[in-house]
Amino acid sequence: MRRPITCLHLERRASSFYWRRRLPKTFSEDQSNPFLTFSLRTHLLREAEVLAGRLTWLSTCAFDYAKGATNMETGLMQRLLSELVRFEIAAAGHARAIAPERTRVEAQLALQREQALQETLRDALFLGNREVARAPLRATAERLGVQLEEHTNDWMTLAYEATRVLLDLSMERARRDQGFYSAPSPFFQAAIASETMPASVAPHVLPMTPATPAHPGPATTATAAAEGLTPKVMQPTAAAIDGPPAPKAVRRTAITLSEAFEQYGEVRSQGKAGKDVDETAVPIKGVSYARNSLANLQSTAKLIVAIIGDKPVSELNKADFTEAFSILQKVPANHGKSSTETRSIRKIVQETDLKEQANKARVRAELEKAGASNGNIEAAEHQESIARLRVNTVYRHMQDTQRVLRYLIAHCYVNENFMKGVIWPKRELERLEILQEDNSRKIWGDELPKLFRTPVFQGQTTDIGNPMFWAPLISVHHSLREEEALQLRAADVACENGIHFFDIKVGAPWQRLKSKAATRRIPIHPNLIVLGFLDFVAMRRREGEDRLFPHLTRGKNRQTLSENFTKDFTRYRKSHGVYDKRIDFHSFRTQFNVELIKARTDSELRHILMGHEMETVNLKHYGGDGHDLAYLHEVIQRVQIDVSMIQSPFATAKKTKVSDLQAAQTRLRVV
């Protein structure tokens, strides 16, 4: 029976082969050769040392093989990957220890870079790309003196596992950078170990009278008597009374992150603040929250849960929210506008980054080839940037998330506000707003005549009361907000001393105003009267319609008329080539304000007409509505809007009798 090959056999065979190949022929034939030089002996000793290390490793491989390892490379893989981990962790720890203090922004950028690396490694695993592991493995093999064959199946396995290790390393670095460690500091562990030494080695101390509990049991009393001590009740000290209260116990009830958002939304919709357990509901505040803020909370919940996962809140930690808002800042601005989107938030961000980088690289290569200047190349690259969520939008998500966490703390679901240090302080928010590209709202300006030359303003409508025609004209001449214009009732158009005006107020349960200051009277601009607005109002009254735009529907989320109309107005502008992302319906109010400023109208009058909150003492405490309609009518005519190109839907109707308006409307609908 053939003897099994042992580690010793392997070492002896390798040693014999090595010396026969490496020693001079004369020396191998005659080991007493006196001419062997000192330098040769030194050289041989150095190589022998290297060989000894390799033989030791060979022995380890043999033992792995004898224990049932799948192949002879298993031990090598473990050695390489372990060395890779140890080196990277040590290097990162040293760099972290000697690094100077950094700003919060620099820390967040470092975290974002680490997260980008993680996404790259995950993508490499997903695609089977092993190139990311090649350089780290080569460096590790060089440190160990190992030669890797990079065109074998063993290499493919090693590179795959190394990619996983690199991902684990990146995640561990991110955790440690944020102060999360899997074990206490070794110095702390050593100190604790010294505190818990056995009594036999404890230093000698003077005996002390033991403090008896406030309500000693029989056993305690008996022990004290046996030791000759008089048991007495110890009174609590002032420190014990005035000391910090014990932390709240975390409730064990199972609740997920999505359920936390839902519960908070329900509490706020009831009219409670969501800051304490026992709160009195104020129903009117609940209605206002459900109408104006609940949809925002739900959008925040959808994003945060999609990134973090619907974990039990007891498993959440600060790192979850730090990572979530780092990713959230990179979410495309148009996210959520497609009903067919099935990708995860992380995948959307990753693919958006790659698309943006590819487009910029393509543009740069093309322009460099064409000999373009650096300035033009930079400008062209910037045009390829994909819009991400605005700073204020991200901050709103931060605020809602922090409110939910405070609710959870108050109800003992968690005992720490994980958004502390994550949500931007005011100064940081202001700084980011300054650095953000200016996408603020613009006035219509030269785009307004272009809008007025689109079909609905040129008589190409079958509806005399089309809100797409009237609502923009009402807003730009009178500064009405979108919802204010769309919810107008026939009763809101009144006349006093021959002056027709809008009586903006809450005249029905479904009417809403932004604030108390929004209640106001605005004389109707002559342009609207020329275009037949009063005829339109008279028609609605004859029809028995309460609202001027009775066929508008409310949105599902906010239950407002503007929710659906905004989408229709956007589609209309895009389809007729007058769309600009910085110009919207609210820009009509901006245009109105600019027109009054150009006419040297003082801020007080502009506040009154636009329904702004009164800021000055005179307006706030002594009333801002003291100006009569005649004077306001004079002011409103300072708004100069060219409507000469507009064809009124009542152009044909004006040639008929007032009683025939209904017939005129019917004719227009047939066309």
Side-chain angles (χ1 to χ4, degrees):
M1 181 176 177
R2 188 174 182 180
R3 291 185 302 170
I5 299 177
T6 65
C7 306
L8 183 59
H9 293 140
L10 289 171
E11 291 185 19
R12 287 177 177 173
R13 291 184 183 182
S15 178
S16 175
F17 174 77
Y18 176 82
W19 289 113
R20 285 199 303 270
R21 293 291 303 272
R22 301 298 295 172
L23 292 180
K25 183 176 181 180
T26 54
F27 183 79
S28 60
E29 292 175 352
D30 181 8
Q31 296 186 12
S32 61
N33 190 336
F35 301 101
L36 185 61
T37 63
F38 175 77
S39 59
L40 178 59
R41 287 198 301 272
T42 303
H43 175 73
L44 293 176
L45 288 173
R46 187 181 302 114
E47 291 200 3
E49 182 180 355
V50 174
L51 176 63
R54 292 179 179 175
L55 291 177
T56 301
W57 176 236
L58 186 60
S59 299
T60 304
C61 291
F63 275 118
D64 287 342
Y65 182 75
K67 287 187 294 185
T70 55
N71 56 65
M72 290 294 289
E73 297 299 321
T74 304
L76 177 60
M77 182 184 301
Q78 182 177 359
R79 186 184 181 197
L80 283 166
L81 298 182
S82 297
E83 171 64 16
L84 175 61
V85 171
R86 284 193 293 268
F87 179 81
E88 292 291 337
I89 289 293
H94 179 69
R96 193 181 305 111
I98 65 173
E101 183 180 359
R102 56 187 179 180
T103 65
R104 185 171 299 280
V105 174
E106 291 171 339
Q108 289 179 338
L109 288 174
L111 181 60
Q112 290 175 14
R113 288 193 295 270
E114 201 70 63
Q115 290 165 351
L117 173 60
Q118 293 167 21
E119 291 301 324
T120 301
L121 292 168
R122 288 191 184 97
D123 193 58
L125 290 170
F126 179 69
L127 300 176
N129 178 10
R130 292 163 172 80
E131 284 302 312
V132 292
R134 191 180 297 276
L137 281 176
R138 283 178 176 174
T140 305
E142 184 177 352
R143 285 196 302 273
L144 295 176
V146 176
Q147 183 68 35
L148 295 177
E149 296 293 336
E150 299 183 2
H151 304 288
T152 64
N153 288 337
D154 289 338
W155 158 258
M156 299 290 283
T157 303
L158 175 63
Y160 176 82
E161 294 298 335
T163 306
R164 290 188 57 188
V165 166
L166 291 171
L167 177 58
D168 292 334
L169 278 167
S170 178
M171 296 170 68
E172 181 65 20
R173 279 196 302 266
R175 284 192 291 269
R176 295 190 180 194
D177 274 349
Q178 297 172 77
F180 297 102
Y181 291 85
S182 57
S185 161
F187 300 101
F188 179 83
Q189 289 177 324
I192 291 297
S194 65
E195 286 288 326
T196 57
M197 288 189 302
S200 58
V201 296
H204 176 73
V205 294
L206 293 174
M208 296 182 64
T209 303
T212 308
H215 301 285
T220 305
T221 306
T223 303
E227 296 180 358
L229 299 173
T230 304
K232 62 179 180 178
V233 176
M234 299 294 294
Q235 298 297 326
T237 62
I241 296 174
D242 299 331
K248 295 181 178 179
V250 177
R251 185 178 294 178
R252 297 299 180 185
T253 307
I255 176 175
T256 63
L257 185 57
S258 63
E259 291 170 340
F261 275 95
E262 289 173 9
Q263 285 189 20
Y264 177 76
E266 290 172 1
V267 167
R268 294 302 306 274
S269 297
Q270 294 169 7
K272 298 180 181 180
K275 298 178 180 179
D276 209 341
V277 178
D278 299 321
E279 294 177 329
T280 302
V282 183
I284 190 171
K285 290 186 177 181
V287 173
S288 176
Y289 182 86
R291 182 176 65 231
N292 300 317
S293 303
L294 183 59
N296 287 338
L297 177 72
Q298 292 169 341
S299 68
T300 300
K302 186 177 180 180
L303 285 169
I304 298 302
V305 172
I307 297 173
I308 295 178
D310 202 11
K311 296 180 179 181
V313 296
S314 59
E315 297 180 8
L316 296 173
N317 56 55
K318 188 173 182 178
D320 291 326
F321 294 92
T322 302
E323 181 189 25
F325 282 100
S326 175
I327 293 173
L328 196 64
Q329 294 176 60
K330 298 186 288 185
V331 171
N334 62 357
H335 167 70
K337 297 183 179 180
S338 173
S339 58
T340 59
E341 181 61 76
T342 58
R343 296 173 297 170
S344 68
I345 300 294
R346 294 176 183 272
K347 193 67 175 177
I348 290 172
V349 169
Q350 179 186 359
E351 293 183 358
T352 302
D353 288 344
L354 292 174
K355 180 181 178 182
E356 182 178 271
Q357 293 167 9
N359 290 344
K360 288 184 175 182
R362 173 182 51 78
V363 167
R364 171 171 284 276
E366 291 174 354
L367 292 180
E368 284 180 345
K369 185 176 181 180
S373 66
N374 289 333
N376 284 343
I377 292 175
E378 288 180 1
E381 283 185 318
H382 178 68
Q383 292 298 319
E384 298 298 328
S385 298
I386 299 175
R388 311 301 174 107
L389 291 183
R390 304 286 294 172
V391 167
N392 283 332
T393 303
V394 175
Y395 188 67
R396 174 173 61 77
H397 290 310
M398 287 179 168
Q399 288 179 306
D400 272 339
T401 303
Q402 179 161 263
R403 293 182 185 117
V404 172
L405 284 170
R406 287 174 174 168
Y407 167 82
L408 293 175
I409 293 171
H411 290 75
C412 300
Y413 285 110
V414 298
N415 55 13
E416 179 184 354
N417 180 5
F418 301 121
M419 286 298 293
K420 185 177 182 180
V422 177
I423 189 171
W424 297 323
K426 184 178 180 181
R427 182 177 295 180
E428 178 65 12
L429 175 63
E430 292 173 349
R431 192 189 71 82
L432 292 172
E433 287 177 328
I434 293 171
L435 293 177
Q436 182 173 244
E437 183 179 353
D438 183 13
N439 286 330
S440 56
R441 186 177 286 112
K442 293 167 53 179
I443 65 171
W444 276 87
D446 294 338
E447 294 297 307
L448 197 56
K450 295 180 183 178
L451 176 68
F452 290 159
R453 287 187 172 87
T454 59
V456 74
F457 296 96
Q458 298 299 310
Q460 299 179 35
T461 177
T462 59
D463 183 5
I464 291 177
N466 191 339
M468 196 66 69
F469 177 88
W470 290 111
L473 289 170
I474 291 171
S475 182
V476 76
H477 285 93
H478 307 90
S479 79
L480 266 66
R481 298 176 177 89
E482 188 173 10
E483 191 69 19
E484 290 174 344
L486 298 176
Q487 70 184 8
L488 281 171
R489 306 167 66 210
D492 294 333
V493 181
C495 183
E496 183 179 296
N497 297 327
I499 299 175
H500 292 89
F501 64 93
F502 290 112
D503 190 10
I504 307 300
K505 63 183 184 303
V506 176
W510 40 263
Q511 284 187 310
R512 305 166 182 175
L513 295 180
K514 185 174 182 180
S515 65
K516 184 179 179 180
T519 302
R520 61 203 190 276
R521 302 197 303 175
I522 310 174
I524 296 178
H525 198 287
N527 279 357
L528 255 69
I529 296 175
V530 169
L531 292 171
F533 179 72
L534 296 180
D535 296 330
F536 164 52
V537 175
M539 180 189 73
R540 286 293 188 235
R541 287 171 176 161
R542 287 193 304 276
E543 293 173 343
E545 293 288 358
D546 185 77
R547 282 174 20 205
L548 293 184
F549 309 113
H551 304 297
L552 288 177
T553 58
R554 298 186 182 277
K556 294 181 180 179
N557 295 325
R558 300 180 183 274
Q559 290 298 304
T560 61
L561 299 172
S562 55
E563 187 175 345
N564 287 340
F565 183 79
T566 296
K567 299 174 184 177
D568 294 337
F569 188 52
T570 300
R571 282 192 290 267
Y572 179 81
R573 289 181 292 138
K574 285 183 175 179
S575 62
H576 294 97
V578 288
Y579 177 76
D580 185 325
K581 66 180 181 180
R582 296 177 62 185
I583 300 176
D584 56 10
F585 194 95
H586 196 85
S587 297
F588 292 129
R589 276 172 57 83
T590 310
Q591 183 79 41
F592 175 90
N593 190 42
V594 169
E595 292 295 331
L596 288 185
I597 291 173
K598 285 162 51 177
R600 302 292 189 271
T601 307
D602 63 57
S603 60
E604 178 181 312
L605 286 168
R606 288 187 281 116
H607 274 301
I608 293 170
L609 291 170
M610 299 186 70
H612 284 160
E613 291 287 350
M614 304 305 183
E615 297 177 356
T616 65
V617 174
N618 179 53
L619 293 175
K620 188 172 183 179
H621 297 288
Y622 297 98
D625 56 354
H627 300 289
D628 60 24
L629 278 174
Y631 181 54
L632 293 179
H633 187 250
E634 177 189 330
V635 173
I636 208 76
Q637 293 181 69
R638 299 176 188 173
V639 178
Q640 300 294 316
I641 303 294
D642 183 11
V643 296
S644 60
M645 72 289 293
I646 297 178
Q647 182 177 338
S648 169
F650 283 87
T652 305
K654 284 185 176 297
K655 299 177 183 178
T656 67
K657 298 178 182 179
V658 174
S659 59
D660 294 334
L661 284 174
Q662 184 64 44
Q665 180 190 16
T666 303
R667 288 197 299 274
L668 281 174
R669 290 181 186 276
V670 172
V671 174

